[in-house]
Amino acid sequence: MRVPTTYLPRVTAADHELLRHSVDNYPADTHEKWLRLQAKEIANWRASGWDVVMIDVSAEDFDRYCRETRASPNFHTFRAIASAKAIGKFA
């Protein structure tokens, strides 16, 4: 049986500061809060039987992705970058 996989963005503390100012609806004002929220989300996915893979997403990735795809600079777009990188649609 194949386990479903979700891809979540992993950000550095330095990128977090940049992202929270450029991503609409970014959910955390501190990197520590971001890590707590993400730990809860990871636990929820795993409890539901999903495998979780963390993908590095930088502020530069976000800016470039929005520019190249003309995507709205919101949290949904930010999350989509992790999946796009994981499946090879964005490098």
Side-chain angles (χ1 to χ4, degrees):
M1 184 169 122
R2 189 168 177 215
V3 176
T5 302
T6 190
Y7 303 100
L8 299 178
R10 176 177 41 221
V11 300
T12 65
D15 278 321
H16 165 81
E17 282 304 309
L18 296 170
L19 288 163
R20 74 181 192 96
H21 293 291
S22 59
V23 178
D24 293 341
N25 300 317
Y26 196 76
D29 55 349
T30 66
H31 190 245
E32 293 76 22
K33 183 176 180 183
W34 167 258
L35 294 174
R36 283 192 308 273
L37 292 171
Q38 198 162 54
K40 288 179 186 179
E41 184 174 12
I42 291 167
N44 288 339
W45 279 108
R46 288 184 175 154
S48 297
W50 287 66
D51 187 23
V52 177
V53 176
M54 303 303 293
I55 304 293
D56 293 328
V57 176
S58 68
E60 181 182 328
D61 290 336
F62 179 75
D63 291 339
R64 187 167 57 89
Y65 186 87
C66 289
R67 190 174 56 252
E68 291 176 4
T69 66
R70 298 182 189 243
S72 181
N74 60 39
F75 191 65
H76 178 75
T77 299
F78 171 68
R79 298 270 310 243
I81 295 169
S83 295
K85 286 179 90 173
I87 63 172
K89 294 204 175 212
F90 184 73

